Amino acid sequence: MVSRVIPVDPFDLVVFGGTGDLAKRKILPGLYIRFLAGQMPAESRIIGAARAELTDEGFRALVAAALSEFVAKDKQDAAVITQFLGRLHYVAIDATGEGGWPQLASLMRTGVVRAFYFSVAPTLFGDLAERLHAHDIADEHSRIVVEKPFGRDLASARALNAVLAEHFHESQIYRIDHYLGKETVQNLMAVRFANILFEPLWNAQYVDHVQITVAETVGVNGRGAYYDKSGAMRDMVQNHMMQLLCLIAMEPPYKFDPDAVRDEKLKVIRALEPVPAEDIVRGQYRGAGRKDGPEAASYLEDCGNPQSRTESYLALKVRVANWRWQGTSFYLRTGKKLRARTSEIAIIFKEAPHSIFGEDEGWKANVLAIRLQPNEGMNLTVMIKEPGPGGMRLTEVPLDMSFAEALGEEGMDIPDAYERLIMDVIRGNQTLFMRGDEVEAAWAWTDPIIEGWEARGDKPRGYDPGSSGPEDALMLLHRDGRRWREIRE
Ligand code: NAD
């Protein structure tokens, strides 16, 4: 099964911060792959705009090096790379001053889609928006793409929204959450809304609880000082995990349309209950007990702040106060330096109301697990009879659907989240981007939780690297008679 490639309209994409880490690792390689796939029309151009004084040639050399580092070797086609590099231009620009703007204005063409990717610090968003207008570079058809973090609390998110709204309409603003660009995440919507099997069971009557896990094996690496200002709540829960929760909990939108989908997500966020202190577990990874390398460093050493109370692990019990989910717990956990790298959503269904096979025959609840990484796929556990002559004993087997196996290698040649999302910007499709009111509602729920632990002076619990997180996180479920699914690849 080969995935279809639908070419987009010709475009000029200006990447502010085009020499930065994100541009080199994700944006430019993503664009190259779409070019290779035939999705980016040949007359499209990418214009790097950043502080460094570079010529077009200098920028092309920088991008060539980035492609050779960050594009899979089997996708590196020398002839196509040369053509792609020919589509690149560069303008040295100062977001906060006047330098470079007239040159950028003179480069822009009419009759093509104009998109502006703000891959710079959010403090520069206002300056960029203002100058794009002052120099008549953006018009009412132009689009802007903004990166995370979108604020660090409700007040700063509102301020960012206000600054962008001065020059751009909401329909022109694309707030990226790359989790929404993941194939499996979109599949979650397909599974829920294109199949009749699950919907009748998708509620508090049949779902016992939901677990969402995003586990990493790495620590904060070189980003310790930056990470220490955010922590797991701001870095992962308020945005990515919130989006996953919305896609599980939302009502069916009346159609697959950007505002219809986002309206339903917003209703979920607004229905989230405040989280009491006893339903929150925060942790910081300990050192590995070896002093022979960076692997051994504790969170406090990694972030360079021995007094830090920032969490590198967070587990929460969350409730959605509406008819569908009354009484259902959504357990969220995320952390660094955990046992395995995995992202998974698990819907744990209730037990059958009566077991005709007796209590001890191996009966368990059905679980629908959706793996985002690694090995994207879905797995539904069902009970069958244990083979053999040993009587009517039950055993659990997975109805396993690995996307790689089901769709074949070519079917799995699916775009990376950034590739997909950038093409959606050019198409003008905002379904997989966060709307301003969604982001504000998410912060409105998040702020009191953070303020609560700050006011209480809560200290994160220590946990061992390579473990499943702090002991207290186990208790969060044990006390409800449940247990976390194993963290494994
Ligand atoms: P970076 O520091 O590597 O690059 C910053 C870029 O901005 C450079 O190209 C620099 O020239 C440009 N720049 C800085 N000041 C400027 C100015 N005054 N005028 C014009 N250009 C200026 O940063 P990055 O890691 O690429 O991150 C960019 C944005 O993406 C940030 O908002 C970051 O939070 C976000 N982000 C990054 C990652 C990542 O993995 N790197 C992931 C998610 C989000």
Side-chain angles (χ1 to χ4, degrees):
M1 196 187 299
V2 183
S3 47
R4 279 180 302 151
V5 172
I6 304 165
V8 295
D9 289 335
F11 60 85
D12 276 348
L13 172 67
V14 179
V15 184
F16 292 106
T19 60
D21 177 64
L22 184 69
K24 287 193 287 198
R25 276 192 313 112
K26 291 287 178 187
I27 303 171
L28 292 157
L31 284 160
Y32 162 74
I33 299 286
R34 291 295 92 208
F35 186 76
L36 178 70
Q39 196 168 24
M40 180 176 147
E43 60 270 45
S44 300
R45 300 181 313 175
I46 298 154
I47 302 164
R51 262 192 315 202
E53 290 293 340
L54 289 176
T55 58
D56 284 353
E57 282 315 315
F59 183 56
R60 287 172 188 154
L62 179 143
V63 176
L67 298 184
S68 91
E69 188 173 355
F70 297 113
V71 171
K73 292 285 174 252
D74 62 344
K75 297 258 171 75
Q76 296 188 18
D77 179 321
V80 181
I81 291 182
T82 307
Q83 283 174 29
F84 177 75
L85 295 177
R87 313 315 306 157
L88 303 183
H89 300 269
Y90 184 80
V91 184
I93 217 158
D94 180 6
T96 56
E98 295 314 312
W101 291 96
Q103 288 86 325
L104 181 60
S106 68
L107 263 182
M108 304 306 293
R109 300 174 295 174
T110 50
V112 297
V113 174
R114 286 185 191 183
F116 304 93
Y117 201 127
F118 291 8
S119 182
V120 295
T123 46
L124 297 177
F125 288 178
D127 293 301
L128 291 178
E130 201 178 304
R131 283 171 178 73
L132 282 173
H133 265 263
H135 292 270
D136 265 341
I137 299 171
D139 58 27
E140 70 273 23
H141 305 298
S142 306
R143 289 135 212 190
I144 58 169
V145 186
V146 297
E147 264 301 333
K148 79 165 206 182
F150 201 86
R152 53 171 288 107
D153 53 22
L154 178 58
S156 54
R158 274 194 179 138
L160 272 181
N161 274 335
V163 115
L164 296 178
E166 273 180 39
H167 301 289
F168 293 92
H169 187 262
E170 181 63 36
S171 63
Q172 299 177 280
I173 306 172
Y174 290 73
R175 294 175 193 78
I176 282 219
D177 183 325
H178 70 272
Y179 263 58
L180 287 180
K182 286 180 188 282
E183 192 74 3
T184 336
V185 173
Q186 293 163 63
N187 243 315
L188 190 54
M189 281 190 276
V191 166
R192 279 200 61 194
F193 303 130
N195 295 288
I196 202 162
L197 272 185
F198 297 109
E199 184 55 24
L201 305 178
W202 210 264
N203 55 50
Q205 195 181 346
Y206 295 105
V207 173
D208 181 74
H209 71 282
V210 175
Q211 297 186 15
I212 307 179
T213 301
V214 177
E216 296 176 286
T217 49
V218 294
V220 292
N221 293 334
R223 294 167 64 233
Y226 163 83
Y227 186 88
D228 201 46
K229 294 196 203 84
S230 70
M233 184 62 154
R234 291 188 170 99
D235 194 53
M236 195 59 89
V237 176
Q238 183 274 343
N239 41 34
H240 307 316
M241 296 182 82
M242 174 75 80
Q243 290 295 324
L244 300 182
L245 173 64
C246 283
L247 296 179
I248 298 166
M250 74 198 235
E251 296 300 314
Y254 76 97
K255 67 175 180 177
F256 193 60
D257 157 279
D259 279 326
V261 170
R262 298 185 300 176
D263 286 346
E264 295 305 337
K265 287 197 291 166
L266 179 61
K267 284 187 211 162
V268 174
I269 303 174
R270 289 196 172 143
L272 293 178
E273 289 182 0
V275 184
E278 63 269 23
D279 291 346
I280 305 170
V281 178
R282 297 163 68 234
Q284 277 178 346
Y285 56 82
R286 300 191 183 102
R290 300 193 325 260
K291 292 283 172 222
D292 53 354
E295 286 302 308
S298 67
Y299 176 78
L300 296 177
E301 288 160 341
D302 272 347
C303 76
N305 172 10
Q307 308 303 325
S308 172
R309 290 191 172 179
T310 302
E311 73 284 355
S312 63
Y313 176 99
L314 178 63
L316 296 167
K317 176 166 138 184
V318 176
R319 301 285 199 141
V320 182
N322 62 17
W323 275 41
R324 186 186 284 265
W325 296 116
Q326 194 51 50
T328 310
S329 294
F330 292 78
Y331 299 97
L332 274 47
R333 69 178 156 166
T334 181
K336 295 197 178 285
K337 287 228 179 164
L338 295 178
R339 175 174 297 154
R341 174 173 175 263
T342 180
S343 298
E344 183 199 73
I345 298 166
I347 319 290
I348 293 93
F349 290 94
K350 287 192 175 161
E351 298 183 353
H354 167 68
S355 167
I356 64 168
F357 301 111
E359 291 297 303
D360 301 322
E361 301 305 331
W363 186 88
K364 291 200 188 99
N366 300 115
V367 176
L368 174 66
I370 298 140
R371 290 187 306 272
L372 308 185
Q373 64 187 22
N375 313 325
E376 301 189 322
M378 286 187 313
N379 178 320
L380 178 67
T381 53
V382 292
M383 296 305 125
I384 61 160
K385 179 190 166 298
E386 200 174 86
M392 195 57 173
R393 281 197 54 81
L394 300 178
T395 188
E396 205 181 31
V397 292
L399 290 181
D400 199 352
M401 193 179 101
S402 145
F403 292 165
E405 279 170 28
L407 304 175
E409 283 303 312
E410 288 188 88
M412 280 306 286
D413 201 7
I414 46 180
D416 162 83
Y418 274 90
E419 293 172 38
R420 154 86 208 225
L421 293 172
I422 296 171
M423 290 300 111
D424 277 0
V425 174
I426 306 300
R427 278 196 211 98
N429 185 342
Q430 290 185 304
T431 311
L432 301 177
F433 295 83
M434 292 179 297
R435 209 167 54 191
D437 52 2
E438 240 183 291
V439 180
E440 289 186 16
W443 281 120
W445 174 77
T446 307
D447 276 4
I449 301 176
I450 296 177
E451 284 159 13
W453 72 54
E454 283 177 355
R456 291 189 297 273
D458 289 352
K459 272 188 168 164
R461 310 274 174 211
Y463 63 94
D464 289 331
S467 70
S468 321
E471 288 288 312
D472 290 15
L474 302 181
M475 288 313 299
L476 189 66
L477 271 77
H478 277 187
R479 66 170 210 228
D480 295 343
R482 297 173 178 137
R483 66 159 106 128
W484 289 110
R485 286 163 61 79
E486 208 180 310
I487 296 182
R488 58 164 188 235
E489 290 209 349

